Amino acid sequence: MIDNLVLGFQNAFTPENLLWCFIGVLLGTIIGILPGLGSSTGVAILIPVTLAFDPLTALIMLAGIYHGSQFGATITAILIATPGEASSVVSTLDGYQMARKGRAGPALAISALGSFTAAMISLVALMAVAPVFASVALTFGPPEMLAVMILGLSTIVVFASRNVLIGVAMGLGGLLLATVGVDVGSGTARFAFGQVELYSGIPFVEVMIGLFALGELLNQLHQGAVKPIRARFRDLILTKEDLRRSVPSTLRGTLIGFVVGILPGAGSTLASFMAYGAEKKFSKNRDQLGTGAIEGVVAPDAATNSSANMNFVPTLTLGVPGGATTAVLLGAFLMYGIQPGPLLFENQPGLVWGLLVSFFIGNVILLVLNLPMAPVFAQVLRVPYSYLYPLIIFTSIVGAYTVANNSFSVWIVLIFGVIGYAMKRLNLPMAPLVLGLVIGPLLEKSLVQTSALGDGNIGIVFESPIALVILGLAVLMVFGGRFQKKLTQSVMGGRKGGKGGTRNGSAFVTETSSVEAVGELADEIRADERAAAAAARDSRPDRRGDGPSGRGGGTPPPDGD
Amino acid sequence: MTATPPTTTARAPRRTVLIAYGVLIAIGAAFAVGAAVSYPLLLENSQVGPGLMPLVAGSALVLVGLLLVRQELTTGSVLEGDGAAVDTSGEDIAKRRRTHRKLLSVMGLTVVAAALIPVLGLLPVMSMLVFVLSVFVERRPWWQALLVAIAAFVVAYVIFVAVLMTPLPFGIFNPDVWSRL
Amino acid sequence: MLSLRKKMGVTAASLTGLLALSSCSVLDAQATVPEDWTPRGAVKITVAFAPGGGSDRSARALAQALNEEDLGFNANVENKDGGSGAVGWSSFLGEEGNGNSLLVAEGAINILPILYDVEFEYTDFTPIALFAEDSRVVVAPADSPFEDCNDLIDAARTDRVLAGVSGLTGADAIVRTALEQAGGVEFDAVPFSSSGEVVTALLSGNVDYAPVAASVAAPQIEAGEFTALCSMTAERYDDPVLADVETAREQGIDATVSLWRGFFAAGGIDEVQRQYWIDAAKRAIDSGSFDQYIEQDMLVPTELYGDDFADYLAEYQKEMEAIFS
């Protein structure tokens, strides 16, 4: 392996390759920032540009785009609740709340750091034991994938921890929307009403832009008097506390991304959702998730990046794309005259190791680029909202149009913008809806394939030990919390559990976070809310989150009032 | 669409919430019935067919929706999402009307702009939207708004057209159209 | 919420429809096409499949070949994927009369209208050139008991033989049907949504056999991961790895499968424009960059232009109707 690394470094460390790697990650960051235009389209668009290059240089640049877009996608998710890529939907949940509290800088910085750490860990694993992982991936047939999808679906429960029924309802809504389009088993065009654009399903990226970006924008307009967020300098940089809290979350996220990334076709979006779900379940500060907890930003980003790297396991070892972008990269291999397949490592060691080493270089460049830029990007929020929101509309619609070069996408964004707004006003959770929409097609596909494999008998799932273990995890995910809650309830004397208590808690969170949304403009805060905010601040040192007051934690420090 | 008051004690069922649950039930029912009527549940060899997922998920949504309605009618259901919506029920009517008018004009203008994309082109019409929204809805000085709109156009043009070479529609601003006449 | 959504949908649909109509009539107001017509500005090559796939590669090879010649326009590729090609091909209907627009298509354009309720038929577009034929190699996992395609058919008489099939309208589906019809047997199929998934299923032994593209099969056979059972081509492949693979015909199975790949222009274009593109396509297909693509993708080079291509398509349509209806 050392020989190979040396070979890789020799091949990757040429001035030309370094330059194109830099250009690649820079372009990738921009592509990632733009909503709609994703890394797969970005790579496809730039393939013709690279045809004149040496294959390694070309692939290094394209891989740079892939990695850069993972970093960039989170930036707009955090700043303006507009996920740049499907996998950064989850980053909007806590990242955006952090930004509303004036902590956009740390959110962006930790996202870059977490992504970097995850990328490094997963790259070492990728280099050391890719063939081993490849054989693991092959043990995942349709029944096992069905179990994985059920596990993914079960995280809905944690996304709506206080009223599971609503979460389930939203998740089902997502699953139903996902059934629109041509089904994989029979090729029937379902619920398309003759609209050819709907044959490939309700387009996910556009739905996301509508729900999150436009929905939040309309919600902000409704609330009115949106003041630019002026963060003090000390709020722009990471604190020791932030870093301390992020370490376990980063590791959990990396691990989850790892596992999901190896499975062909599961995708980094699923990985990010599962990572967030795991945080809600296992994090020490799980009660703060959703109100701007740093764990909720770093874990999904780590998962996205490690799964993005692990996507290369099937790509390089089996010649089978691990995801949408790696599929395009495989196409690019062919165009450069390289046959991807199981012999790639053997036949093209210089190319493969050069490429892998370039992943390291690319990620280092990304960290160097993104970490100092975090406070700079955070300044976007100083733009008066009366200019910011027209620009968000501009970006969302132009971005949506470029997804498929089609006005249809724009209408989808507008329709789901209104739906998103209604959901925000009613305070219905969006994450389960998106999760249902992501998992729906995958779930149905593995269901169809399992039933075809078992000659109509889905029960073959229970014959697979791997599937059984995963299903067991899903059961724990759904019912584990109950026992946990009961346990805490008995220990804490019912302070946390119970219907009345939870309702109190939720109302409390709603009010305090709205106060924080208005920022430091104390004169705008009505007296009762001021009291609530004060209560939240008082509880700030108590970050363990083991009391109702702890839920308001993570408030900006009270200085400057 | 009025906001949900974040009440802390038991309260009367909220009408908007009930309507929302009703919509959920209707969506579930529509998918379930549509699937049952139009698509086979199972194919030959009893392989899962195109109707199964929508029927099962749709029926489940109807059931969950009914449970939610019951929850709302009896104890008042907990609404907790990522909206962090502020309670605006206490506001005076004039302010609420202003908010509604603003929302409608923003949405309306955006819809008009989207409809004009094939005629005026994507980037030109969206830049115009930025200008119109800033000047007429937000009452910003026109020269400032013009600068912002032009800047947005230039940045987007450089990224999408010059660097990424995405084929964006330019409608009547497409030079090809004029050269052909 | 629902009613609002519905209303929005309806107005959106009618508005876009209206505007599409009006803008077309305004923008494409070209009464006569001059004799010396050449395309100007940007020429869009529509691909009905996702970037990275076979169709996409052919489109990019064409774009590159055209641009290398510096003909006074800039060709760029636009992917409109979805619905096994239905989305892209339907959207190409909107280019009616536009001489500045090309389409990459393959055999599925004949099959889709037979199976589904789509608005287009291949006759809606102007055939320009057929540049290659694609086929499939039938492969099984390395440790499979099957050695040739007859083994498959024999086994299917008594046991359940599982085929891995990507797409319900593509070459994979035709291969399965052709083998079934030739052998008088039936195979059960597990549907997959990409050839990558099929390869994974073969590698993990989830399916008994699968038809895969030559360029996918060759490296796996070379690595000893797959056993080749038979090739569905009329003649053996001219490739170091695949040259040993017998055709189904050689094994006494009367089944060949070919899936054409070609270019179309929009429907209703002027004869001058049609002739221009036929000439341009000839030069592009004979260029080095295009040859490289055909070789990389292990396609069978075949060239047919204009009316010959149209005749071929009419014949192909009949064959597909026989198989799929």
Side-chain angles (χ1 to χ4, degrees), chain B residues 3-44:
Chain B
T4 48
T7 340
T8 48
T9 48
R11 44 165 148 47
R14 295 156 294 186
R15 201 165 55 97
T16 40
V17 173
L18 285 176
I19 293 172
Y21 292 160
V23 171
L24 283 178
I25 294 172
I27 292 173
F31 273 93
V33 171
V37 171
S38 329
Y39 312 117
L41 297 182
L42 297 173
L43 303 177
E44 45 179 319

Short mmCIF file of all heavy atoms in Angstrom, two decimals, chain B residues 3-44:
data_model
loop_
_atom_site.label_atom_id
_atom_site.label_comp_id
_atom_site.label_asym_id
_atom_site.label_seq_id
_atom_site.Cartn_x
_atom_site.Cartn_y
_atom_site.Cartn_z
N ALA B 3 -52.02 31.72 12.10
CA ALA B 3 -51.03 30.96 12.85
C ALA B 3 -51.68 30.20 13.99
O ALA B 3 -52.79 30.49 14.41
CB ALA B 3 -49.99 31.92 13.42
N THR B 4 -50.98 29.21 14.45
CA THR B 4 -51.49 28.43 15.56
C THR B 4 -51.01 29.05 16.84
O THR B 4 -49.81 29.23 17.04
CB THR B 4 -50.96 27.00 15.48
OG1 THR B 4 -49.55 27.08 15.26
CG2 THR B 4 -51.60 26.26 14.35
N PRO B 5 -51.95 29.43 17.69
CA PRO B 5 -51.51 30.03 18.95
C PRO B 5 -50.79 28.99 19.81
O PRO B 5 -51.30 27.89 20.00
CB PRO B 5 -52.82 30.47 19.60
CG PRO B 5 -53.92 29.87 18.81
CD PRO B 5 -53.36 29.24 17.59
N PRO B 6 -49.61 29.30 20.26
CA PRO B 6 -48.90 28.35 21.08
C PRO B 6 -49.44 28.32 22.50
O PRO B 6 -48.85 28.87 23.41
CB PRO B 6 -47.46 28.86 21.02
CG PRO B 6 -47.58 30.32 20.74
CD PRO B 6 -48.86 30.53 20.05
N THR B 7 -50.58 27.74 22.65
CA THR B 7 -51.22 27.68 23.95
C THR B 7 -50.54 26.64 24.81
O THR B 7 -50.04 25.66 24.31
CB THR B 7 -52.70 27.33 23.83
OG1 THR B 7 -53.10 27.62 22.51
CG2 THR B 7 -53.54 28.07 24.81
N THR B 8 -50.61 26.86 26.09
CA THR B 8 -49.96 25.90 26.96
C THR B 8 -50.97 25.04 27.71
O THR B 8 -50.64 24.00 28.22
CB THR B 8 -49.07 26.62 27.96
OG1 THR B 8 -49.81 27.68 28.54
CG2 THR B 8 -47.83 27.16 27.29
N THR B 9 -52.22 25.47 27.75
CA THR B 9 -53.21 24.67 28.47
C THR B 9 -54.18 24.04 27.48
O THR B 9 -54.15 24.35 26.30
CB THR B 9 -54.00 25.56 29.45
OG1 THR B 9 -54.42 26.71 28.72
CG2 THR B 9 -53.16 25.96 30.62
N ALA B 10 -55.04 23.15 27.98
CA ALA B 10 -56.02 22.50 27.11
C ALA B 10 -56.86 23.58 26.45
O ALA B 10 -57.20 24.59 27.04
CB ALA B 10 -56.91 21.57 27.94
N ARG B 11 -57.20 23.37 25.18
CA ARG B 11 -57.87 24.43 24.44
C ARG B 11 -58.88 23.82 23.47
O ARG B 11 -58.90 22.62 23.24
CB ARG B 11 -56.85 25.23 23.67
CG ARG B 11 -55.86 24.29 23.00
CD ARG B 11 -55.07 24.93 21.97
NE ARG B 11 -53.73 24.46 21.78
CZ ARG B 11 -53.31 23.21 21.68
NH1 ARG B 11 -54.14 22.20 21.83
NH2 ARG B 11 -52.06 22.93 21.43
N ALA B 12 -59.66 24.71 22.93
CA ALA B 12 -60.66 24.25 21.98
C ALA B 12 -59.96 23.79 20.71
O ALA B 12 -58.89 24.27 20.38
CB ALA B 12 -61.61 25.40 21.67
N PRO B 13 -60.57 22.84 19.97
CA PRO B 13 -59.96 22.38 18.72
C PRO B 13 -59.76 23.56 17.77
O PRO B 13 -60.61 24.45 17.66
CB PRO B 13 -60.99 21.42 18.15
CG PRO B 13 -61.85 21.04 19.28
CD PRO B 13 -61.80 22.14 20.29
N ARG B 14 -58.60 23.58 17.11
CA ARG B 14 -58.31 24.68 16.21
C ARG B 14 -58.82 24.35 14.81
O ARG B 14 -58.56 23.28 14.28
CB ARG B 14 -56.80 24.93 16.17
CG ARG B 14 -56.27 25.39 17.51
CD ARG B 14 -54.81 25.09 17.65
NE ARG B 14 -54.55 23.64 17.70
CZ ARG B 14 -53.36 23.13 17.93
NH1 ARG B 14 -52.33 23.91 18.11
NH2 ARG B 14 -53.18 21.83 17.96
N ARG B 15 -59.52 25.31 14.23
CA ARG B 15 -60.18 25.04 12.95
C ARG B 15 -59.15 24.78 11.84
O ARG B 15 -59.26 23.81 11.10
CB ARG B 15 -61.07 26.23 12.56
CG ARG B 15 -62.14 25.88 11.56
CD ARG B 15 -63.19 26.97 11.52
NE ARG B 15 -62.57 28.27 11.23
CZ ARG B 15 -62.51 28.81 10.02
NH1 ARG B 15 -63.04 28.18 9.00
NH2 ARG B 15 -61.94 29.97 9.83
N THR B 16 -58.11 25.64 11.76
CA THR B 16 -57.13 25.47 10.68
C THR B 16 -56.42 24.13 10.78
O THR B 16 -56.13 23.49 9.78
CB THR B 16 -56.07 26.59 10.71
OG1 THR B 16 -55.73 26.84 12.06
CG2 THR B 16 -56.58 27.84 10.05
N VAL B 17 -56.14 23.73 12.04
CA VAL B 17 -55.45 22.46 12.22
C VAL B 17 -56.33 21.32 11.74
O VAL B 17 -55.89 20.40 11.05
CB VAL B 17 -55.05 22.27 13.69
CG1 VAL B 17 -54.49 20.89 13.93
CG2 VAL B 17 -54.05 23.34 14.10
N LEU B 18 -57.63 21.40 12.08
CA LEU B 18 -58.56 20.36 11.64
C LEU B 18 -58.63 20.33 10.11
O LEU B 18 -58.67 19.26 9.50
CB LEU B 18 -59.94 20.59 12.24
CG LEU B 18 -60.06 20.22 13.72
CD1 LEU B 18 -61.43 20.58 14.25
CD2 LEU B 18 -59.77 18.75 13.94
N ILE B 19 -58.64 21.53 9.51
CA ILE B 19 -58.68 21.56 8.04
C ILE B 19 -57.44 20.89 7.47
O ILE B 19 -57.50 20.09 6.54
CB ILE B 19 -58.78 23.02 7.53
CG1 ILE B 19 -60.14 23.61 7.93
CG2 ILE B 19 -58.60 23.09 6.02
CD1 ILE B 19 -60.28 25.09 7.65
N ALA B 20 -56.28 21.20 8.07
CA ALA B 20 -55.03 20.60 7.59
C ALA B 20 -55.09 19.08 7.68
O ALA B 20 -54.71 18.37 6.74
CB ALA B 20 -53.84 21.13 8.39
N TYR B 21 -55.59 18.59 8.81
CA TYR B 21 -55.69 17.14 8.96
C TYR B 21 -56.66 16.58 7.92
O TYR B 21 -56.46 15.49 7.37
CB TYR B 21 -56.16 16.75 10.36
CG TYR B 21 -55.13 17.05 11.45
CD1 TYR B 21 -55.52 17.17 12.77
CD2 TYR B 21 -53.78 17.21 11.13
CE1 TYR B 21 -54.59 17.43 13.77
CE2 TYR B 21 -52.86 17.49 12.11
CZ TYR B 21 -53.26 17.60 13.43
OH TYR B 21 -52.34 17.86 14.39
N GLY B 22 -57.73 17.34 7.67
CA GLY B 22 -58.70 16.92 6.66
C GLY B 22 -58.04 16.80 5.30
O GLY B 22 -58.29 15.84 4.56
N VAL B 23 -57.17 17.77 4.99
CA VAL B 23 -56.46 17.72 3.70
C VAL B 23 -55.59 16.46 3.64
O VAL B 23 -55.57 15.76 2.63
CB VAL B 23 -55.60 18.99 3.52
CG1 VAL B 23 -54.69 18.85 2.31
CG2 VAL B 23 -56.50 20.20 3.36
N LEU B 24 -54.91 16.17 4.75
CA LEU B 24 -54.06 14.97 4.78
C LEU B 24 -54.90 13.72 4.52
O LEU B 24 -54.53 12.85 3.73
CB LEU B 24 -53.36 14.84 6.14
CG LEU B 24 -52.16 15.75 6.37
CD1 LEU B 24 -51.61 15.56 7.78
CD2 LEU B 24 -51.08 15.46 5.34
N ILE B 25 -56.05 13.65 5.19
CA ILE B 25 -56.93 12.49 5.00
C ILE B 25 -57.36 12.40 3.54
O ILE B 25 -57.36 11.33 2.93
CB ILE B 25 -58.16 12.58 5.94
CG1 ILE B 25 -57.69 12.47 7.39
CG2 ILE B 25 -59.18 11.50 5.61
CD1 ILE B 25 -58.77 12.74 8.40
N ALA B 26 -57.71 13.57 2.97
CA ALA B 26 -58.17 13.58 1.58
C ALA B 26 -57.06 13.11 0.65
O ALA B 26 -57.31 12.33 -0.28
CB ALA B 26 -58.63 14.99 1.20
N ILE B 27 -55.83 13.57 0.89
CA ILE B 27 -54.71 13.15 0.04
C ILE B 27 -54.53 11.64 0.13
O ILE B 27 -54.42 10.94 -0.87
CB ILE B 27 -53.41 13.89 0.44
CG1 ILE B 27 -53.52 15.38 0.11
CG2 ILE B 27 -52.20 13.28 -0.27
CD1 ILE B 27 -52.35 16.22 0.62
N GLY B 28 -54.52 11.15 1.37
CA GLY B 28 -54.37 9.70 1.57
C GLY B 28 -55.45 8.93 0.84
O GLY B 28 -55.18 7.97 0.12
N ALA B 29 -56.70 9.41 1.00
CA ALA B 29 -57.83 8.72 0.37
C ALA B 29 -57.70 8.77 -1.14
O ALA B 29 -57.94 7.77 -1.84
CB ALA B 29 -59.14 9.36 0.83
N ALA B 30 -57.29 9.92 -1.67
CA ALA B 30 -57.19 10.06 -3.13
C ALA B 30 -56.19 9.05 -3.69
O ALA B 30 -56.48 8.36 -4.67
CB ALA B 30 -56.76 11.49 -3.49
N PHE B 31 -55.02 8.96 -3.03
CA PHE B 31 -54.01 8.02 -3.52
C PHE B 31 -54.50 6.58 -3.38
O PHE B 31 -54.32 5.76 -4.29
CB PHE B 31 -52.69 8.20 -2.77
CG PHE B 31 -51.79 9.23 -3.37
CD1 PHE B 31 -51.82 10.55 -2.93
CD2 PHE B 31 -50.92 8.89 -4.39
CE1 PHE B 31 -50.99 11.51 -3.49
CE2 PHE B 31 -50.08 9.85 -4.96
CZ PHE B 31 -50.11 11.16 -4.50
N ALA B 32 -55.10 6.27 -2.23
CA ALA B 32 -55.53 4.89 -1.99
C ALA B 32 -56.60 4.49 -3.00
O ALA B 32 -56.51 3.43 -3.64
CB ALA B 32 -56.05 4.75 -0.57
N VAL B 33 -57.60 5.35 -3.17
CA VAL B 33 -58.69 5.01 -4.09
C VAL B 33 -58.16 4.96 -5.53
O VAL B 33 -58.44 4.02 -6.27
CB VAL B 33 -59.84 6.05 -3.98
CG1 VAL B 33 -60.87 5.83 -5.08
CG2 VAL B 33 -60.48 5.94 -2.60
N GLY B 34 -57.35 5.97 -5.87
CA GLY B 34 -56.78 6.00 -7.22
C GLY B 34 -56.00 4.72 -7.52
O GLY B 34 -56.13 4.14 -8.60
N ALA B 35 -55.22 4.28 -6.56
CA ALA B 35 -54.40 3.08 -6.76
C ALA B 35 -55.30 1.85 -6.88
O ALA B 35 -55.10 1.01 -7.76
CB ALA B 35 -53.43 2.91 -5.59
N ALA B 36 -56.29 1.77 -6.00
CA ALA B 36 -57.16 0.58 -6.00
C ALA B 36 -57.92 0.49 -7.32
O ALA B 36 -58.14 -0.60 -7.86
CB ALA B 36 -58.12 0.65 -4.82
N VAL B 37 -58.33 1.65 -7.86
CA VAL B 37 -59.13 1.64 -9.08
C VAL B 37 -58.27 1.39 -10.32
O VAL B 37 -58.63 0.61 -11.19
CB VAL B 37 -59.88 3.00 -9.22
CG1 VAL B 37 -60.55 3.10 -10.58
CG2 VAL B 37 -60.91 3.13 -8.11
N SER B 38 -57.09 2.05 -10.36
CA SER B 38 -56.37 2.06 -11.64
C SER B 38 -55.22 1.05 -11.76
O SER B 38 -54.86 0.68 -12.85
CB SER B 38 -55.79 3.45 -11.91
OG SER B 38 -56.58 4.44 -11.35
N TYR B 39 -54.59 0.67 -10.65
CA TYR B 39 -53.38 -0.12 -10.79
C TYR B 39 -53.48 -1.45 -10.06
O TYR B 39 -54.03 -1.52 -8.97
CB TYR B 39 -52.17 0.67 -10.26
CG TYR B 39 -52.12 2.09 -10.77
CD1 TYR B 39 -52.21 3.17 -9.89
CD2 TYR B 39 -52.00 2.34 -12.12
CE1 TYR B 39 -52.18 4.47 -10.37
CE2 TYR B 39 -51.97 3.63 -12.61
CZ TYR B 39 -52.06 4.70 -11.73
OH TYR B 39 -52.04 5.97 -12.21
N PRO B 40 -52.91 -2.50 -10.66
CA PRO B 40 -52.96 -3.81 -9.99
C PRO B 40 -52.10 -3.81 -8.73
O PRO B 40 -51.03 -3.20 -8.69
CB PRO B 40 -52.38 -4.76 -11.04
CG PRO B 40 -51.58 -3.90 -11.97
CD PRO B 40 -52.24 -2.56 -11.97
N LEU B 41 -52.60 -4.48 -7.70
CA LEU B 41 -51.84 -4.56 -6.45
C LEU B 41 -50.68 -5.53 -6.59
O LEU B 41 -49.61 -5.32 -6.06
CB LEU B 41 -52.75 -5.03 -5.31
CG LEU B 41 -53.90 -4.11 -4.95
CD1 LEU B 41 -54.66 -4.67 -3.78
CD2 LEU B 41 -53.35 -2.74 -4.63
N LEU B 42 -50.96 -6.65 -7.29
CA LEU B 42 -49.92 -7.65 -7.47
C LEU B 42 -49.85 -7.99 -8.95
O LEU B 42 -50.85 -7.96 -9.66
CB LEU B 42 -50.25 -8.92 -6.66
CG LEU B 42 -50.31 -8.76 -5.14
CD1 LEU B 42 -50.80 -10.04 -4.50
CD2 LEU B 42 -48.95 -8.38 -4.57
N LEU B 43 -48.64 -8.32 -9.40
CA LEU B 43 -48.47 -8.77 -10.77
C LEU B 43 -48.50 -10.29 -10.79
O LEU B 43 -48.75 -10.93 -9.77
CB LEU B 43 -47.14 -8.26 -11.33
CG LEU B 43 -46.93 -6.75 -11.28
CD1 LEU B 43 -45.54 -6.42 -11.79
CD2 LEU B 43 -47.96 -6.03 -12.14
N GLU B 44 -48.20 -10.86 -11.96
CA GLU B 44 -48.10 -12.32 -12.01
C GLU B 44 -47.00 -12.76 -11.06
O GLU B 44 -46.10 -12.00 -10.75
CB GLU B 44 -47.79 -12.75 -13.44
CG GLU B 44 -46.71 -11.90 -14.07
CD GLU B 44 -46.37 -12.31 -15.49
OE1 GLU B 44 -46.29 -13.52 -15.72
OE2 GLU B 44 -46.19 -11.43 -16.33
#
